Amino acid sequence: MKNLEIAEILNKMADLMEMLEIDWKPRAYRKAARTIENMSKDIRNIYEKGGEKALCEIPSIGKGIAFKIEQYLKKGKIKEFEQLKKKIPQGLEQIMNLPGMGPKKAIKLYKKLKIKNLKQLISAVKKGKIKKLEGFGKKSEKEILRAIELKKQSKGRQLLGVMLPIARKIKNELEKLSYVKRIEIAGSLRRRKETIGDIDLLIRSDKPEKVMGVFTKLPEVKTILAKGKTKSSIVLRLGIQSDLRVLPKESFGAGLQYFTGNKDHNIKLRKIAIKKKYKLSEYGLFKGKKQIAGKTEKETYQKLGMQYIEPELRENTGEIEAAIAKKLPKLIGYDDIKGDLQMHTAWSDGSESIEEMAKAAKKMGYKYIAITDHSKSERIAGGMDEKKLMKCLKAIEKARKKVRGITILKGAEVDILPDGSLDYSDKILKKLDIVVAAVHSRFKMNKNEMTKRICKALENKYVNILAHPTGRLIGERRPYELDLNKVIVTAKKNKVALEINAFPNRLDLNEGQARIAAEKGAKLVISTDAHQTDNLRYMEYSIAVARRGWVKKAQVINTKTLSELKKFLRKHNSTRF
DNA sequence: GCCGTTTTCGGCCCGACTGTTTTCAGTCG
């Protein structure tokens, strides 16, 4: 995927153009960059299939930017970018991107003081040069040093599974205050993006100053970036930024809507408001000076002439158009899951017993689970040979008698070997209620070989689920080369469900891939891959992925009742169940 | 540079906070 690379270049071009005081173009470049960054399709594929014309069909990309993308894909270089770089010293971009700095200030430092990089900036501060500059002052010097320090400590984006618990903890602390009437987590966390940059909180209270006082003095706070009457920003000890906004009752819905985003979704809504001669802000929807909506999100969307849009869909990827046409899907809900179909126990690399897992799952309200420990090739993960597997199946039978009220399916996570055969013979697979197949080795095969390998495995008559279909680990490992479309078609044809794996660093399939799979009519399964009882709670993360992928309940096999599920698992194997 | 039930030209989301000012520019989300 070249998407991220291209988005980064477009953003850098926007930076440079801003410093050159070019109007409007930077905004267009940034918008295009955001679109490309959030796209689930590979931009190179789009170009190879449809050329420049196909690129122009992507919203916010026109002839100008399409031409530059083409240059980059063909030559690995963009002429105008190279020219821009010659006009502005490289280090200036770092200065401009410091918190509190921007294009205007950065270019001023360069023009007046010949400052080209961070090092020169620090030395200029120490020599007291900055405060003499028009528009800067004593505080600016302090701010600059603090910003540089802050940048060093900043952690960047973190996994949803890391950030959501932290946000909930802060929420719980503030919720205890009597004058906090309501508190919601907003921003990308509320949209449940797979990685999160900061924690946005929204509060309804009649005593905003008091709330700000408590918020900026929380024990986790390291730095206060801004503190106002209705809006404050802090940096937590962990290097994570958190913003808090306080709104009155009549504006809470509009504020929640605004603060949830994403940016392009909001901008589009505001434009629609303007067309209807309204004005939309975080304080409400206004007709002249009169507020006509904003107490709740629902009425805000309604007054704009569309269906309510779930937070997970608000990415400007077609949801607004669908909402206007009243064609939004009814998304799978967080309570729709009836069982977890991938988990590990001490029989391979898990840490707890079958019974402990079953009890914990029952407590969560599940009707069934599958125990799916590793097959023999997974030596590192304590994979089981055939003999051990048989013992494990016996142990499952025992556990069934001990833990009533939940059905424990006999399963295994079986390796797909490099040639596409499975790690157990059909004779063994036949003894299982459910077979989860997965690639755990030879990740670097070429696209053709890998696609063939996986499709061959899917054609095995005992395979029910393809686990973590792309093998990516967020921020650690790229997905393996794969023709996912072919895999989706093959899975559908062979009655195999594609997994959305809930492990916080996996989320595999991702939202875009899940959306494509669902569109093509393949079945999905949402599983935690838990290795201990505590991991079972990860389920909500992969439900979020499904929701972000526009997935409906009926498309997910573990929303079914046990008997319906069994029908799906039976496949061509009539002896099962 | 992009886009179009307001337009193929002329717009381009909207408001809070900060610092340096003394009414505002720059930055941020």
Side-chain angles (χ1 to χ4, degrees), chain A residues 151-292:
Chain A
K151 188 107 184 172
K152 274 189 206 157
Q153 294 162 358
S154 161
K155 285 265 201 146
R157 298 189 76 83
Q158 299 283 312
L159 298 173
L160 173 65
V162 172
M163 295 287 258
L164 195 54
I166 295 173
R168 282 176 177 157
K169 195 171 163 244
I170 297 176
K171 185 184 169 196
N172 286 342
E173 282 175 52
L174 295 174
E175 217 158 33
K176 288 177 195 155
L177 305 171
S178 62
Y179 43 87
V180 170
K181 301 294 179 205
R182 189 175 162 194
I183 175 164
E184 293 293 337
I185 296 169
S188 54
L189 264 170
R190 183 156 178 256
R191 302 198 313 277
R192 300 288 192 269
K193 254 193 113 167
E194 64 184 34
T195 61
I196 307 291
D198 58 9
I199 296 172
D200 296 317
L201 296 165
L202 193 62
I203 281 181
R204 174 159 81 74
S205 175
D206 302 326
K207 299 196 170 71
E209 286 97 340
K210 268 181 131 174
V211 176
M212 292 306 167
V214 176
F215 178 64
T216 51
K217 286 192 197 81
L218 286 172
E220 296 93 337
V221 174
K222 189 165 155 191
T223 321
I224 300 168
L225 294 174
K227 186 182 171 187
K229 260 186 272 177
T230 65
K231 195 175 166 181
S232 294
S233 289
I234 56 170
V235 177
L236 301 173
R237 290 228 179 90
L238 299 153
I240 296 161
Q241 187 174 328
S242 179
D243 302 328
L244 175 71
R245 185 88 180 237
V246 179
L247 281 165
K249 191 175 178 182
E250 64 274 15
S251 299
F252 198 81
L256 187 56
Q257 192 288 313
Y258 159 74
F259 227 27
T260 298
N262 76 358
K263 190 173 182 165
D264 291 328
H265 177 92
N266 285 351
I267 289 175
K268 197 171 252 181
L269 285 189
R270 287 178 177 199
K271 281 183 178 166
I272 288 170
I274 292 168
K275 261 181 217 155
K276 292 185 185 290
K277 311 262 187 231
Y278 300 153
K279 188 183 72 174
L280 178 63
S281 75
E282 57 264 53
Y283 293 105
L285 186 63
F286 294 89
K287 188 174 186 177
K289 287 199 170 162
K290 193 176 166 240
Q291 183 179 347
I292 56 168

Side-chain angles (χ1 to χ4, degrees), chain A residues 3 44 61 71 81 90 120 157 186 232 281 312 343 361 373 422 455-456:
Chain A
N3 293 29
R44 191 174 35 181
I61 294 179
Q71 269 185 53
F81 183 37
Q90 295 273 312
Q120 291 173 346
R157 298 189 76 83
S232 294
S281 75
E312 292 91 334
M343 67 183 68
D373 277 301
L422 290 158
C455 288
K456 186 180 167 195

Side-chain angles (χ1 to χ4, degrees), chain A residues 13-166:
Chain A
M13 290 179 78
D15 283 351
L16 295 170
M17 287 188 285
E18 272 177 349
M19 285 193 274
L20 291 168
E21 289 181 71
I22 298 170
D23 284 332
W24 303 116
K25 263 199 199 188
R27 193 181 288 201
Y29 274 70
R30 287 197 201 287
K31 187 153 192 279
R34 281 200 305 271
T35 303
I36 294 168
E37 204 177 300
N38 291 325
M39 242 166 42
S40 52
K41 285 181 184 152
D42 188 344
I43 196 155
R44 191 174 35 181
N45 270 348
I46 294 174
Y47 175 68
E48 279 166 8
K49 276 185 192 156
E52 202 184 325
K53 208 177 141 205
L55 292 178
C56 288
E57 276 164 24
I58 301 168
S60 73
I61 294 179
K63 272 195 164 178
I65 291 178
F67 178 63
K68 281 163 190 98
I69 294 170
E70 184 178 32
Q71 269 185 53
Y72 184 74
L73 290 173
K74 272 187 172 169
K75 299 177 191 161
K77 246 187 200 182
I78 297 169
K79 201 173 154 197
E80 197 182 327
F81 183 37
E82 302 301 319
Q83 286 168 345
L84 282 170
K85 280 197 281 193
K86 279 180 200 153
K87 289 183 190 160
I88 302 274
Q90 295 273 312
L92 229 49
E93 215 183 295
Q94 271 183 34
I95 293 177
M96 146 173 187
N97 286 322
L98 285 174
M101 293 292 265
K104 299 268 166 57
K105 286 186 183 172
I107 204 73
K108 195 170 209 174
L109 290 171
Y110 174 55
K111 281 191 174 158
K112 303 272 179 185
L113 296 176
K114 301 268 170 276
I115 291 169
K116 290 181 201 163
N117 53 46
L118 284 181
K119 214 172 149 189
Q120 291 173 346
L121 179 60
I122 294 170
S123 112
V125 170
K126 288 191 177 150
K127 285 179 191 156
K129 284 183 182 171
I130 305 289
K131 62 176 173 240
K132 291 178 193 154
L133 212 55
E134 180 198 334
F136 290 75
K138 261 193 173 170
K139 283 215 170 174
S140 311
E141 298 201 319
K142 260 193 186 165
E143 275 305 299
I144 287 169
L145 292 181
R146 198 172 71 142
I148 292 171
E149 191 53 31
L150 213 65
K151 188 107 184 172
K152 274 189 206 157
Q153 294 162 358
S154 161
K155 285 265 201 146
R157 298 189 76 83
Q158 299 283 312
L159 298 173
L160 173 65
V162 172
M163 295 287 258
L164 195 54
I166 295 173

Side-chain angles (χ1 to χ4, degrees), chain A residues 411-425:
Chain A
E413 183 181 6
V414 184
D415 268 35
I416 299 174
L417 303 177
D419 66 355
S421 65
L422 290 158
D423 205 13
Y424 294 131
S425 68

Side-chain angles (χ1 to χ4, degrees), chain A residues 59 116 165 280 373 428 432 485 573:
Chain A
K116 290 181 201 163
L280 178 63
D373 277 301
I428 298 290
L432 299 172
N485 283 332
N573 175 11

Side-chain angles (χ1 to χ4, degrees), chain A residues 373-550:
Chain A
D373 277 301
H374 285 286
S375 63
K376 60 186 176 188
S377 290
E378 274 303 284
R379 289 205 186 82
I380 293 176
M384 303 176 292
D385 60 20
E386 286 78 358
K387 223 169 141 188
K388 193 170 174 191
L389 174 66
M390 289 309 126
K391 278 190 190 162
C392 173
L393 298 185
K394 282 260 161 61
I396 291 174
E397 281 170 20
K398 261 193 195 164
R400 280 176 177 169
K401 282 176 195 156
K402 283 196 183 160
V403 190
R404 300 284 185 179
I406 185 164
T407 301
I408 310 173
L409 297 172
K410 294 177 186 171
E413 183 181 6
V414 184
D415 268 35
I416 299 174
L417 303 177
D419 66 355
S421 65
L422 290 158
D423 205 13
Y424 294 131
S425 68
D426 281 3
K427 212 176 123 193
I428 298 290
L429 295 177
K430 203 175 169 182
K431 298 180 193 293
L432 299 172
D433 300 327
I434 180 167
V435 174
V436 179
V439 168
H440 288 114
S441 61
R442 290 281 307 276
F443 296 123
K444 287 185 176 160
M445 285 177 123
N446 71 39
K447 191 170 173 177
N448 242 337
E449 284 176 341
M450 187 58 98
T451 306
K452 250 188 174 168
R453 171 185 182 184
I454 291 175
C455 288
K456 186 180 167 195
L458 300 185
E459 281 160 6
N460 179 296
K461 60 181 173 182
Y462 298 107
V463 170
N464 305 109
I465 288 169
L466 176 63
H468 42 75
T470 79
R472 68 103 175 235
L473 298 176
I474 299 171
E476 294 170 54
R477 188 170 76 204
R478 297 164 71 91
Y480 26 77
E481 296 287 325
L482 189 66
D483 183 343
L484 193 64
N485 283 332
K486 225 176 219 173
V487 171
I488 291 168
V489 171
T490 311
K492 186 185 174 192
K493 196 172 146 200
N494 290 281
K495 243 181 132 183
V496 174
L498 298 171
E499 185 183 77
I500 302 175
N501 188 296
F503 236 74
N505 66 341
R506 281 199 187 268
L507 301 183
D508 177 10
L509 302 173
N510 70 23
E511 61 205 42
Q513 296 157 341
R515 188 167 171 179
I516 294 168
E519 273 168 12
K520 291 190 184 260
K523 291 287 185 224
L524 296 164
V525 57
I526 298 180
S527 308
T528 62
D529 202 352
H531 284 65
Q532 55 196 74
T533 50
D534 188 53
N535 296 157
L536 291 168
R537 70 184 167 84
Y538 291 165
M539 187 62 88
E540 64 170 314
Y541 306 140
S542 50
I543 298 172
V545 172
R547 287 168 63 86
R548 289 175 59 81
W550 297 50

